[in-house]
Amino acid sequence: MNEIIRKRKSVRKYEMTSLDEASLEMVREQIKKVKPLYPNIGFSVETTNKTKGMFNIKAPHYLVFRSEDKEGAEENIGFIGQQLDLFLAESGLGTCWLGASKPEDRGVSALPSIICMSFGKPNEPLYRELSEFKRKTLADISEGIDERLEAARLAPSGMNMQAWFFVAENGKIHCYRKKQRLGFMNKMACVDMGIAICHIAEESEDFQFAKEVGITERKGYIYMGTVNGK
């Protein structure tokens, strides 16, 4: 498994000194390299120094994820953002998804913001031991056997709800998300779904994702799509 997936953590304490220009340019260049889950959905990722909202974290820098208002937008952003999360963690920088935060400024893009992510030099341990993860068991979140499911199990999610379920069969992984009572929580669960799918993609040699017809429904869950490829 990807070493960073096995040890990354959400960092909530940062050194407030801004990163040097070379480090920020490294981040901007990586943003250009991310691969969307849905190429037909327009998106942008911007850096800013200020965000606001419930449970906001004080950090020197933030990423602002914006998207067209289309079906699949939130999953797409989660998939894109987690690529950056893993890259930043591997580069020695701390990160934390901020589901209830918004940018204070309008930004360059006219697209609506979906979610933010703090980042900067950590002022607490950057990594953790695998034993320190507080996650549901594979039996709680999946059926069938596929080594990639462990990477999905370790994925971060809003309030650590892990509102997903995976069914592995015939080399495929069918992905479901748990229905939420509030619209906002449903959107965040979609972002979380994209994050978990990103972890599966990181462990795949030939990753493909699409919705299929005739997939078995699960009570209390919504079918999101199927991972194909090894």
Side-chain angles (χ1 to χ4, degrees):
M1 187 190 301
N2 182 311
E3 181 183 357
I4 299 302
I5 289 177
R6 292 175 60 92
K7 65 182 185 180
R8 68 154 299 283
K9 66 186 287 285
S10 298
V11 173
R12 294 176 172 81
K13 295 180 181 180
Y14 298 87
E15 295 180 11
M16 291 308 296
T17 304
S18 297
L19 297 177
D20 57 44
E21 184 56 31
S23 296
L24 291 174
E25 183 60 25
M26 175 191 70
V27 175
R28 289 190 286 264
E29 285 301 311
Q30 191 63 27
I31 289 172
K32 298 176 184 178
K33 299 177 183 178
V34 295
K35 297 179 180 180
L37 185 62
Y38 297 120
N40 64 316
I41 302 178
F43 71 93
S44 70
V45 185
E46 303 172 359
T47 59
T48 186
N49 297 323
K50 293 182 180 180
T51 58
K52 59 183 179 180
M54 189 180 301
F55 310 123
N56 197 41
I57 289 175
K58 191 174 182 181
H61 305 284
Y62 303 89
L63 295 177
V64 179
F65 297 91
R66 301 177 183 272
S67 175
E68 286 184 294
D69 185 11
K70 289 184 176 181
E71 182 180 357
E74 287 80 13
E75 302 98 274
N76 199 46
I77 288 299
F79 188 82
I80 290 164
Q82 191 58 16
Q83 293 172 55
L84 293 171
D85 184 3
L86 296 174
F87 170 79
L88 292 169
E90 187 174 20
S91 301
L93 298 175
T95 64
C96 186
W97 284 96
L98 304 175
S101 294
K102 299 287 183 182
E104 286 195 357
D105 51 33
R106 290 186 177 182
V108 176
S109 173
L111 296 173
S113 63
I114 302 295
I115 196 169
C116 297
M117 179 187 292
S118 59
F119 74 97
K121 292 182 180 179
N123 199 19
E124 65 180 47
L126 176 60
Y127 303 125
R128 59 181 158 183
E129 297 295 326
L130 189 58
S131 60
E132 296 179 273
F133 278 81
K134 296 180 180 179
R135 296 290 191 270
K136 297 176 181 178
T137 67
L138 277 177
D140 292 327
I141 64 161
S142 67
E143 290 180 1
I145 298 174
D146 192 303
E147 292 181 353
R148 294 171 292 177
L149 292 176
E150 176 64 8
R153 187 183 76 87
L154 296 178
S157 60
M159 295 183 287
N160 204 27
M161 291 181 64
Q162 306 157 68
W164 46 51
F165 198 87
F166 306 96
V167 177
E169 59 178 8
N170 302 321
K172 299 182 178 183
I173 301 176
H174 305 303
C175 307
Y176 301 79
R177 69 169 176 86
K178 192 172 184 178
K179 294 179 182 178
Q180 305 294 319
R181 294 182 179 180
L182 302 177
F184 170 77
M185 293 303 296
N186 272 305
K187 288 186 176 182
M188 289 302 100
C190 287
V191 172
D192 293 342
M193 189 85 257
I195 293 171
I197 293 171
C198 175
H199 276 205
I200 294 174
E202 287 290 326
E203 299 302 303
S204 302
E205 295 178 7
D206 179 27
F207 174 82
Q208 300 171 45
F209 183 81
K211 288 189 176 181
E212 298 186 350
V213 297
I215 301 301
T216 303
E217 295 185 2
R218 296 189 65 86
K219 185 177 180 180
Y221 288 82
I222 297 173
Y223 169 66
M224 303 298 288
T226 296
V227 174
N228 282 280
K230 297 180 180 180

